[in-house]
């Protein structure tokens, strides 16, 4: 079995949220993170700070399945699967809120230590769509 590899990467993340009742919002961030290869899977890890609070994100990347896990100021588990709906959750002050994730499109192109991950999905709470989300992530090894 191959050794686990870890590389420092620069990440460009573009997140677009189109809520059902509201204006579309696009957020672009440049982050530093790590790309890990473990047991044949690729993981992208990074931290972001929003309003003086740290959010740690780990993404398991794939072409048909992916997983976004967030911890810290935001706690969330978002499984993505191009074939079928998935159940995730978001932790808030009032407890855990179940989420249904309907993945519309997902692509993952990987090179040695760089790549592109794109996903578009709908998020449902209590059977109602709350919006359409798009994540476009590009990462390259720090030279």
């Amino acid at each position: 079995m191959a050794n686990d590899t870890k590389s420092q990467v620069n990440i460009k993340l573009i997140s677009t949220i189109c809520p059902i009742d509201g204006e579309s919002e696009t957020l672009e961030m440049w982050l530093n993170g790590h790309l890990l290869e473990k047991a044949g899977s690729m993981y992208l890890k990074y931290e972001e700070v929003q309003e003086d609070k740290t959010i740690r994100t780990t993404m398991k990347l794939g072409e048909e399945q992916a997983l976004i896990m967030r911890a810290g100021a935001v706690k969330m588990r978002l499984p993505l699967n191009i074939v079928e709906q998935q159940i995730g959750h978001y932790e808030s002050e009032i407890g855990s809120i179940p989420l249904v994730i309907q993945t519309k499109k997902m692509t993952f192109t990987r090179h040695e230590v760089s790549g592109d991950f794109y996903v578009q999905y709908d998020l449902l709470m209590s059977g109602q769509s709350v919006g359409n989300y798009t994540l476009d992530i590009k990462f390259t090894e720090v030279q």
Side-chain angles (χ1 to χ4, degrees), residues 42-53:
M42 296 297 297
Y43 295 88
L44 189 61
K45 296 179 123 188
Y46 59 87
E47 287 187 358
E48 59 187 276
V49 178
Q50 291 182 5
E51 298 168 9
D52 295 331
K53 294 186 175 141

Side-chain angles (χ1 to χ4, degrees), residues 5 8 13 15 18 26 28 30 34 47-48 55-56 58 65 75-76 78 82 89 108 122 125-126 128 130 133:
T5 59
Q8 195 169 352
L13 184 148
S15 171
C18 300
T26 298
E28 183 175 311
W30 291 86
H34 290 94
E47 287 187 358
E48 59 187 276
I55 303 165
R56 293 179 310 281
T58 301
Q65 293 186 50
K75 291 181 177 64
M76 182 177 74
L78 210 64
I82 198 73
H89 62 84
F108 177 44
D122 287 337
M125 274 189 224
S126 306
Q128 299 292 312
V130 293
Y133 295 74

Side-chain angles (χ1 to χ4, degrees), residues 102-142:
Q102 177 68 55
T103 307
K104 302 289 191 186
K105 183 177 180 182
M106 185 161 40
T107 59
F108 177 44
T109 307
R110 179 185 162 210
H111 309 289
E112 276 301 303
V113 202
S114 66
D116 299 308
F117 178 76
Y118 176 88
V119 64
Q120 184 179 10
Y121 60 94
D122 287 337
L123 208 54
L124 294 90
M125 274 189 224
S126 306
Q128 299 292 312
S129 176
V130 293
N132 179 271
Y133 295 74
T134 303
L135 273 178
D136 190 358
I137 299 171
K138 295 179 183 352
F139 55 91
T140 55
E141 184 175 22
V142 173

Side-chain angles (χ1 to χ4, degrees), residues 56-75:
R56 293 179 310 281
T57 301
T58 301
M59 300 179 69
K60 182 178 182 183
L61 304 174
E63 293 178 20
E64 292 184 355
Q65 293 186 50
L67 176 64
I68 301 171
M69 294 171 290
R70 302 182 91 187
V74 171
K75 291 181 177 64

Side-chain angles (χ1 to χ4, degrees), residues 19-35:
I20 292 301
D21 54 357
E23 301 255 337
S24 174
E25 180 183 351
T26 298
L27 182 66
E28 183 175 311
M29 290 186 278
W30 291 86
L31 304 158
N32 295 313
H34 290 94
L35 183 68

